[in-house]
Amino acid sequence: LVSPEGQLEHLLEEIKLRARRQERTLAVSLTKRDAEDLSSFLVERDINATYIHSGLTTHERSDALKALQSGEVDCLVGVNLLREGLDLPQVSLVAILNADSEGFLRSETALLQTVGRAARNINGKAIFYASRITGSMQRCMEATSRRRQKQLAYNEEFGRSSKSTIGSSMLSIFDLLKEEIEQEQPLEIVGRADPVGSKIPQELRRVELPVSSLHVQVNSTSTVITDHLPSKPGVYFWKDSGGNILYIGKAKKIRSRVKSYLSPSSKHTPRIHAMLSKATSIDYMITPSERDALVLESNLIKHHQPDYNILLKDDVTYPYICASIGDTFPRFYAVPRRQLGQKASMYRYFGPYPQYNEINQVLSQIEDQYDLRATSFAARHGDGKKQDYRELFDRVMEEVFESSGVESSMASLRKEYEEASMLFDSPFNTCRDVVAIHQETGSKDTVIHVVQLREGIVAGRFTYACTLPDECQDIGDLALAIEIILIRQHYPSGEETAGGSFQTFSFFPDEILLKHPLKNASELKKTVKSARAKAESNRSTEIKIRHVAKRAPRRETDERAMEFATT
């Protein structure tokens, strides 16, 4: 039993002693993360070490065991080294970190099996690194002592002496079971049974399809018109003759993506072939970036539930970076959703992000720049100080996640990935209209855009064209043009929506975001309230009129929304 105080340096010396005697060491940690960090710690101090855990492939684990047996490495670090390999008489030391952490991996049975890995070597020894003796540790030590006394008594009675066994094979359990492993069939990912009332068309439910139907060429004489499609990122909608949405997709370049469906050389699955046989038209919605298109596509699919978008109908959530600020040793990691309830205050979240690989890139660069994991490991198991790690963690929080003024490259990278979700998943955009105005340089023609953002999707998009005289070109004149369009045309038209096509989302917003402040904002409020009272008599929420905020956190969201409306 060894105190955790200075345990890493103690373990280092024990491993070196075994290495000089051509013996091997097994070091056991509680987590895969700790196994990797301990292995890195040892390698940095010139110890031939590697790690093994369930995150490695079968062949990687087999190679790690062979390296230990052959002497290529002196120490193998793992989490649960009870079944790894069948013949390891070279191991003379088993070192167990956090031995006093009661649980499955530190139960009496687990400890007995783990320390037994050194039983085949005459110099076999087990070290518990712990600050106390748990019940499981005590029973393990008593059982080991009892067995040793029995063995010594037997040797004395029959005149025998103990010695190390000699391994008869360097094959690991993976090699011994090679034929069985190779015969294993890969897992087949299958869809769930159709729910009651499923919208999936009958032709998609068939599972016995002839081979020839797996690749179907689309008729090159399709009547679908694509000339109006832009070569910009966005979302496109395949519709049937009745205007019903059949399929929603995203693209970096909408025109190229849609044309690829109609190319004579295209090969489609039965699902897409069935969709195209019914499609008669294409609509689209431009977004500022491909990431925005990804988020909007998912939200639209969840809302409209098109018949042929069978892959995204489940409730897709976007991952966050979580900072476990309430932990003794806080860290950053990816989570699929926010923690709710009493423990919510122990965490802070940043995001959401469209994809996990974007989070991984941010976390990887944080680690490369700040070396958080090594510092945390040294503070928990070595001579590092808890306060030093906490100060480093707080520094990362400040520089990467809470930076103001001059931003670091890491903060810029993080915000770049978060921008897509900033538009559609922001609580500021739950029910608001974004009004932007666009004017070509040197032209009198001016276009006013009104985008309706409702609960993560674009519920409507309206465009109004007007012509301004040459002498009406300053900000005040542009604001007046917006005011006239909204008061005289756009919001009065909402009176006709009662019980009509806007039953799912209200035509009228809780908030209006403007590019330029209006002189008669109160008049606009009166117009909206009057029209809303005729269409939605039961609704009386206050209407806010704002322009782009000058301070975070609303500024970033407002700027992103205005950029989208202008696109």
Side-chain angles (χ1 to χ4, degrees):
L1 180 67
V2 176
S3 169
E5 184 90 18
Q7 61 183 339
L8 293 184
E9 295 302 324
H10 181 274
L11 175 60
L12 195 63
E13 293 304 317
E14 291 287 340
I15 295 174
K16 289 180 179 179
L17 175 62
R18 268 71 190 178
R20 289 194 291 268
R21 298 197 307 231
Q22 301 297 310
E23 296 171 355
R24 317 283 184 264
T25 301
L26 295 181
V28 185
S29 64
L30 266 182
T31 66
K32 293 191 289 186
R33 183 185 180 92
D34 280 349
E36 295 172 6
D37 292 343
L38 178 55
S39 176
S40 298
F41 171 84
L42 295 174
V43 170
E44 289 172 0
R45 285 153 182 80
D46 299 324
I47 297 293
N48 295 323
T50 189
Y51 64 87
I52 185 173
H53 57 58
S54 60
L56 302 181
T57 66
T58 299
H59 293 294
E60 288 172 335
R61 296 171 71 177
S62 177
D63 291 343
L65 287 168
K66 287 181 179 179
L68 182 75
Q69 292 172 311
S70 65
E72 185 179 339
V73 299
D74 297 316
C75 179
L76 182 65
V77 186
V79 178
N80 187 3
L81 297 171
L82 307 183
R83 301 174 181 174
E84 307 292 358
L86 298 178
D87 200 15
L88 295 174
Q90 303 90 342
V91 174
S92 64
L93 173 64
V94 173
I96 303 178
L97 277 66
N98 304 105
D100 53 354
S101 297
E102 277 279 24
F104 171 73
L105 293 177
R106 298 295 182 265
S107 64
E108 176 188 354
T109 301
L111 291 175
L112 277 169
Q113 290 179 317
T114 304
V115 301
R117 306 303 300 179
R120 302 186 68 188
N121 192 292
I122 187 64
N123 298 318
K125 178 181 179 180
I127 299 177
F128 289 161
Y129 290 102
S131 56
R132 64 191 179 97
I133 298 178
T134 65
S136 295
M137 291 170 59
Q138 185 64 44
R139 291 189 294 274
C140 174
M141 290 187 288
E142 290 174 354
T144 301
S145 177
R146 184 171 59 254
R147 293 173 182 177
R148 179 177 294 275
Q149 293 304 319
K150 285 185 177 181
Q151 182 65 57
L152 292 175
Y154 177 87
N155 290 350
E156 183 176 356
E157 180 180 353
F158 294 97
R160 298 179 180 275
S161 60
S162 299
K163 62 179 181 179
S164 298
T165 61
I166 299 176
S168 58
S169 172
M170 289 184 61
L171 295 178
S172 72
I173 189 171
F174 304 114
D175 293 309
L176 295 175
L177 299 178
K178 180 179 179 181
E179 293 184 2
E180 288 83 346
I181 292 173
E182 290 178 346
Q183 291 174 0
E184 289 181 358
Q185 297 297 322
L187 291 176
E188 181 180 358
I189 301 176
V190 297
R192 294 173 296 186
D194 293 342
V196 177
S198 172
K199 293 183 178 181
I200 299 177
Q202 185 64 35
E203 59 265 31
L204 296 185
R205 296 182 183 143
R206 303 183 193 136
V207 293
E208 297 181 0
L209 294 170
V211 176
S212 60
S213 69
L214 295 179
H215 300 288
V216 183
Q217 292 190 353
V218 180
N219 189 344
S220 61
T221 61
S222 171
T223 59
V224 177
I225 299 174
T226 61
D227 295 341
H228 66 297
L229 301 177
S231 294
K232 294 182 178 181
V235 176
Y236 55 89
F237 307 79
W238 285 97
K239 295 184 177 181
D240 62 16
S241 57
N244 301 307
I245 297 176
L246 300 173
Y247 181 84
I248 299 175
K250 67 180 184 306
K252 186 176 182 179
K253 294 182 178 180
I254 297 176
R255 176 179 292 183
S256 299
R257 182 70 185 99
V258 171
K259 284 191 172 183
S260 70
Y261 284 91
L262 306 176
S263 172
S265 60
S266 298
K267 296 180 180 180
H268 299 295
T269 63
R271 174 172 62 93
I272 298 300
H273 177 64
M275 182 274 292
L276 291 174
S277 68
K278 298 180 180 180
T280 59
S281 63
I282 285 281
D283 281 346
Y284 66 90
M285 191 174 292
I286 298 174
T287 59
S289 70
E290 193 175 3
R291 293 192 186 92
D292 291 292
L294 174 68
V295 177
L296 180 58
E297 176 206 30
S298 178
N299 290 342
L300 287 170
I301 289 173
K302 284 189 287 185
H303 173 67
H304 291 289
Q305 294 286 290
D307 288 345
Y308 294 90
N309 283 100
I310 61 175
L311 299 179
L312 295 177
K313 283 187 177 178
D314 292 334
D315 185 20
V316 178
T317 60
Y318 294 101
Y320 292 81
I321 290 179
C322 175
S324 56
I325 56 176
D327 290 349
T328 304
F329 292 94
R331 63 190 181 96
F332 300 102
Y333 54 97
V335 293
R337 59 186 59 84
R338 293 172 180 263
Q339 174 80 33
L340 302 177
Q342 296 180 346
K343 295 184 178 181
S345 61
M346 297 178 61
Y347 307 95
R348 285 192 60 186
Y349 299 92
F350 304 94
Y353 292 75
Q355 302 180 65
Y356 273 98
N357 63 348
E358 296 180 342
I359 287 184
N360 293 336
Q361 184 171 345
V362 173
L363 296 180
S364 177
Q365 292 202 22
I366 288 176
E367 186 58 36
D368 291 343
Q369 184 168 333
Y370 296 96
D371 205 20
L372 274 176
R373 284 183 60 170
T375 307
S376 171
F377 185 78
R380 286 180 291 119
H381 300 291
D383 54 3
K385 295 181 179 179
K386 173 183 173 182
Q387 184 60 31
D388 291 342
Y389 174 74
R390 187 72 202 209
E391 290 176 358
L392 178 60
F393 179 85
D394 291 342
R395 178 185 159 200
V396 176
M397 283 285 290
E398 169 64 26
E399 295 181 359
V400 178
F401 295 96
E402 298 174 345
S403 60
S404 59
V406 180
E407 294 185 350
S408 66
S409 59
M410 283 301 307
S412 299
L413 175 66
R414 175 183 66 84
K415 289 188 176 182
E416 174 189 347
Y417 286 140
E418 288 181 5
E419 281 182 348
S421 299
M422 199 181 292
L423 176 59
F424 300 110
D425 292 331
S426 169
F428 300 135
N429 291 332
T430 301
C431 183
R432 81 166 163 181
D433 288 354
V434 183
V435 184
I437 187 167
H438 176 72
Q439 187 176 38
E440 293 291 343
T441 304
S443 173
K444 297 180 181 180
D445 295 333
T446 301
V447 178
I448 295 173
H449 304 280
V450 181
V451 177
Q452 297 177 327
L453 298 178
R454 304 289 190 270
E455 298 181 13
I457 73 169
V458 178
R461 187 163 193 153
F462 302 84
T463 301
Y464 302 93
C466 58
T467 301
L468 297 182
D470 293 335
E471 60 272 16
C472 298
Q473 301 294 329
D474 62 13
I475 292 179
D477 294 325
L478 296 177
L480 179 60
I482 292 175
E483 187 177 310
I484 291 173
I485 291 294
L486 297 182
I487 293 176
R488 298 184 184 180
Q489 189 169 357
H490 178 71
Y491 287 112
S493 69
E495 297 177 8
E496 304 172 0
T497 63
S501 59
F502 288 92
Q503 292 179 347
T504 303
F505 295 111
S506 172
F507 182 87
F508 302 97
D510 293 336
E511 179 178 287
I512 302 173
L513 178 67
L514 302 167
K515 187 170 185 178
H516 304 296
L518 305 182
K519 290 183 179 181
N520 298 315
S522 59
E523 186 66 26
L524 175 58
K525 284 187 179 181
K526 290 179 182 179
T527 300
V528 176
K529 287 182 178 179
S530 175
R532 187 181 67 182
K534 297 177 181 180
E536 305 171 16
S537 57
N538 296 327
R539 190 172 169 207
S540 59
T541 55
E542 184 63 27
I543 297 171
K544 299 178 182 179
I545 298 178
R546 301 179 51 256
H547 53 278
V548 176
K550 296 181 179 180
R551 296 182 180 179
R554 294 195 72 130
R555 183 186 64 193
E556 292 84 354
T557 304
D558 289 353
E559 290 176 346
R560 191 68 173 170
M562 193 59 66
E563 179 187 0
F564 176 68
T566 310
T567 304

